[in-house]
Structures are given as structure tokens and as C-alpha cells.
Amino acid sequence: MMYNPQLDTFICVVEAGSFSKAAEELYISAPAVIKQINSLENSLNLQLFERTHRGLIITEAGKSLYQDAKYLIQYSKESLIRAQEAMNHNEEIIRVGISPMTPPEVFVELWPKIQKIYPEIKFKLITFENTPENAREILANMGKNIDVIAGIFDETMLELRGCDGTEILREPFCVAVSIHHRLAKKEKITLDDLAGENLMLMQRGWSYYGDMLRDDMMKNHPEINIVDFNLYNVEAFNRCENNNEVLLAFKSWESVHPLIRIIPVEWDYKMPFGILHSKTPSAKVKRLIKAINKVK
């Protein structure tokens, strides 16, 4: 194990809300849990919890550690997997990162065609959680934990994240609405339909095409209310559904939320879709890129 196992106990305490509940989940005694947390705090020279008569209160230091601990644990485990694969000389295994926002379905049709060209290439799916921390770490370090991710991108996003991309197709911008929204039964939405609606757009600077659409809406359609959000993840879809707002989205995200419907819009905005990879891809990823360019 490459990380302090007391981090697992720490995460369990945070999520359970108490030492006793964490002890039940871990099948150990409460004093054993307390001893591990005390030892972790001493080794890090940090106070992770305030012990009060009302219960545990996580400190700001604890919140910060909790944000990163899951990623550290996942990264550590996958580092061991990479080392094992290297030992077994599995040089042609391409690790495909998948999440609700980066589903692999687009490759279902491409994989058989790619493997006809390079039959030695194998694929391994690796799940990850959409968080700001993961977005920064994974995309800036493509090729270490994950070789490629399928998703939308443009030059602005690639520059922001420090990676590169190979385009497969252009995916039209759509909108996502709750199945209970007044627009949910429409097969296609017009800009007039969006009048008076709150349109959720990623904050400015995330995407050239997103900013272009934003500028068009602000200049030519002031009747549409633009509201910002910080990251495409499940929480953005929850906000869309719970607040009855309209979220800029893509058809490939239809499976993200069961209470959300994604509908085309009568506009001409599209965004590149393909694979994200390192700016200096490995030989196996170069072969994949070459194969994609042949079969797309």
C-alpha cells in the first residue's frame, strides 16, 4: 500500500459523521477509530476534527484533506496497477478514463474498426469522479493514470487543461431540462422558447465556442437569462432539475441523469468531440490516433 491507510478511516469518519458510526462501517471498535485519527493528526501535525459535546466538526484543514484524499488513494491504487502492467509488459493496453461527462459509447462503433488495424491494442476502462481537482490533475497528467478520455474540447479548453485532443466529429450544442419542465415535450427548441428561462452556461473562459454562444445570447437575446456555473458534473444536472433551469449540454450526456431530457436547439453551435490525450502521447496512443483518423 502506497498511502497511509489511516486516510481510509479518516474518509469514513467524515462521511459517517461520528467515530461510532465509522466504527460500525469499518467493523472495528470506536476506540480503534479514535486512535487512528489521533495518530493521523499527530503525523500530519494537523487538527482534522473539533471534538465537541454536540459531536464532531470537521476543520478547514480536514475539509481540504478530504477533498484530496480520495484522489490520492485512487491515484496510489492505480499507480500499483500501472506498475503491475509494466511488469507484465502490457504495453498495448490503452487506459480509457470514463465518467458521466465522458462516456465511452462513441467508441463502441470505432473499437472493432480500430482493432482490425491494430489487433494488438487492448482497452481498459478506468472510472473517475468529475471534480475540479480531478479535472486539473488527470488532464494535466494524461498518460500517467489514464491514456485517453472521450469528450468535448476546443483549443481554449486544451490550453487551459494542458493536454491535446484528436477530433472525431462535431457535436451540436443542445439543452438539458427536467422531464417536468414546460419545454420537456418538445422535439426541438427555438430561441423564442428560451425567452425568460435561466440558461446555465459554464463560466467564461472555459470554451471558445461556449463564449461565442454566450456573447450571441447577451447581444441578440437579452430575454434569455444567463447563469454561470463552475463545472460540468452530476451536480450541475441536479441543479438543472431541482431549480427547473435550462442547461447547455450535449446529446452524448443523455444517460447522466434519469430526470433530465436533452433536446436539440435551432442554432448552429457545435463543438469538437474526440479523444483527449497528452501533448506528447506514447507510441500506443499515437497508433490509436492514427487508427481513429483512418476510420472516423
Side-chain angles (χ1 to χ4, degrees):
M1 187 174 292
M2 298 175 63
Y3 64 91
N4 187 337
Q6 291 168 347
L7 284 174
D8 289 313
T9 303
F10 166 68
I11 289 172
C12 188
V13 171
V14 173
E15 295 179 348
S18 72
F19 293 134
S20 58
K21 289 181 181 178
E24 291 177 7
E25 294 185 18
L26 295 169
Y27 299 102
I28 58 177
S29 67
V33 171
I34 295 171
K35 183 177 180 180
Q36 288 191 43
I37 297 301
N38 290 341
S39 175
L40 181 63
E41 289 181 319
N42 290 334
S43 66
L44 298 176
N45 195 27
L46 294 171
Q47 183 179 357
L48 303 176
F49 299 99
E50 291 182 8
R51 286 77 164 168
T52 73
H53 66 281
R54 294 182 179 179
L56 289 180
I57 299 175
I58 189 169
T59 64
E60 290 302 314
K63 290 176 183 178
S64 178
L65 181 63
Y66 177 72
Q67 288 291 327
D68 295 328
K70 285 188 173 182
Y71 176 77
L72 289 171
I73 291 170
Q74 178 184 338
Y75 188 87
S76 175
K77 290 177 179 178
E78 290 174 355
S79 294
L80 287 176
I81 292 172
R82 288 200 308 275
Q84 291 165 355
E85 289 176 350
M87 183 177 65
N88 294 328
H89 306 292
N90 290 331
E91 297 177 355
E92 298 306 316
I93 294 179
I94 293 180
R95 298 157 298 176
V96 182
I98 62 171
S99 73
M101 300 296 108
T102 56
E105 281 80 2
V106 69
F107 290 121
V108 171
E109 182 179 348
L110 290 181
W111 283 162
K113 297 177 183 178
I114 291 170
Q115 290 189 315
K116 281 185 180 180
I117 300 172
Y118 292 113
E120 69 276 14
I121 290 181
K122 307 296 180 185
F123 299 97
K124 178 178 180 180
L125 302 183
I126 297 177
T127 59
F128 68 92
E129 184 181 359
N130 284 94
T131 66
E133 294 78 19
N134 280 359
R136 287 194 299 268
E137 292 296 324
I138 293 175
L139 294 178
N141 295 282
M142 295 292 281
K144 292 184 178 180
N145 249 6
I146 291 172
D147 296 308
V148 298
I149 293 173
I152 56 169
F153 63 87
D154 62 17
E155 290 302 319
T156 300
M157 186 189 303
L158 297 178
E159 184 66 25
L160 180 67
R161 297 306 186 190
C163 59
D164 207 347
T166 297
E167 183 177 331
I168 296 174
L169 52 86
R170 293 281 171 127
E171 189 165 0
F173 280 112
C174 299
V175 294
V177 297
S178 165
I179 58 173
H180 306 296
H181 193 280
R182 67 179 184 86
L183 300 176
K185 293 183 179 180
K186 285 185 170 287
E187 293 303 316
K188 198 163 192 178
I189 288 175
T190 67
L191 289 170
D192 287 340
D193 290 329
L194 294 175
E197 295 291 340
N198 287 337
L199 177 61
M200 295 173 59
L201 299 182
M202 268 278 279
Q203 59 190 5
R204 186 179 289 279
W206 164 74
S207 157
Y208 169 79
Y209 295 100
D211 287 348
M212 186 186 299
L213 184 145
R214 173 192 291 270
D215 291 338
D216 181 12
M217 296 299 103
M218 292 178 67
K219 180 179 179 180
N220 300 310
H221 302 279
E223 70 279 6
I224 299 172
N225 305 315
I226 294 176
V227 293
D228 290 351
F229 67 101
N230 296 325
L231 181 71
Y232 273 113
N233 56 15
V234 174
E235 284 309 309
F237 281 77
N238 284 336
R239 171 180 166 181
C240 172
E241 201 280 326
N242 292 334
N243 296 349
N244 211 33
E245 295 181 322
V246 178
L247 172 67
L248 189 70
F250 298 91
K251 204 68 175 172
S252 57
W253 294 347
E254 284 183 308
S255 61
V256 172
H257 197 298
L259 299 180
I260 289 288
R261 182 158 183 253
I262 296 180
I263 308 171
V265 183
E266 289 185 357
W267 54 30
D268 295 325
Y269 290 99
K270 296 181 179 180
M271 195 161 179
F273 179 95
I275 62 167
L276 296 158
H277 51 77
S278 169
K279 289 185 175 181
T280 55
S282 63
K284 63 186 178 183
V285 174
K286 287 181 179 178
R287 284 192 288 274
L288 173 63
I289 294 169
K290 184 178 180 180
I292 286 174
N293 287 330
K294 285 183 178 181
V295 303
K296 69 179 182 181

